[in-house]
Amino acid sequence: MFDGGFMNQSFAFGGEEGKEKYDEQIIYRSSLQNFLIDTGQEVILVDTGFKTGMSAPARKLGAPLYMGERVADYMASFEALGYKPEQVTKILVTHKHSDHSDCISQFPNAKVYISAEDADAMKLPRGGNIVRATYGETYHNFPHAQKVAEGIWFVEAKGHTKGNSIVIAECDGLYYMFHGDVTYCDAALKANKLSIVFEDMAAARETLDRVRDFIQQHPTVYLSTHCPEGYENLEMKRVMKL
């Protein structure tokens, strides 16, 4: 939905040691994208972006994060793929922030999977199409996960928010990790650094450790919401190396 933005190193790396430990003049590319999985039987969204017409912050010298120039609104981007809202069967919400959840009401037939903590924080109704995740299974080194479709897992990954989750989809020997905001750019993953945006630092550190361990054990395509490597990794099926 947005591209051509930037984030500085203090924002992307400074969560544990402090922003002052990093260089605000070192910048990384920024963008905004969410993802769609078509299994052939189901159309599943991983997050939904901002509502149509949302005004994004303007480009500003020295800003810690600039999302970029608007490419298209979320619903316009969705419809450009050739789908209709009523075809969507499930929405997997990694966390409550509006750039990941604003448009869930636009899909009338979709079950919305989200952690109980973030559903409650959003004041979502109980029952109906809202499915508060139970995470009753183990998935590799993640102790709390839930299978939502064949080869697709909704995985507890607390820290960025108290109910943060990630999604992992298996296909042709690769593991596609839709990680929400576990990191904001691939450079932070490689450097093993947390961003400054979290609700529980200890949980965020545990999640990042588990994510890095999983990637070291499995051929993983790392799909970010906030940096162009997200869509570039997907297009090239580029396996993350740590």
Side-chain angles (χ1 to χ4, degrees), residues 203-222:
R205 165 45 59 191
E206 181 180 351
T207 287
L208 184 56
D209 288 346
R210 289 188 186 280
V211 164
R212 285 174 51 85
D213 182 59
F214 182 91
I215 289 170
Q216 288 167 330
Q217 301 299 322
H218 305 87
T220 302
V221 181
Y222 193 68

Side-chain angles (χ1 to χ4, degrees), residues 21-40:
K21 299 292 186 181
Y22 295 95
D23 190 342
E24 293 183 349
Q25 295 190 34
I26 296 176
I27 61 171
Y28 304 96
R29 297 182 298 158
S30 180
S31 57
L32 178 64
Q33 57 275 338
N34 300 131
F35 298 92
L36 179 151
I37 304 170
D38 188 335
T39 71

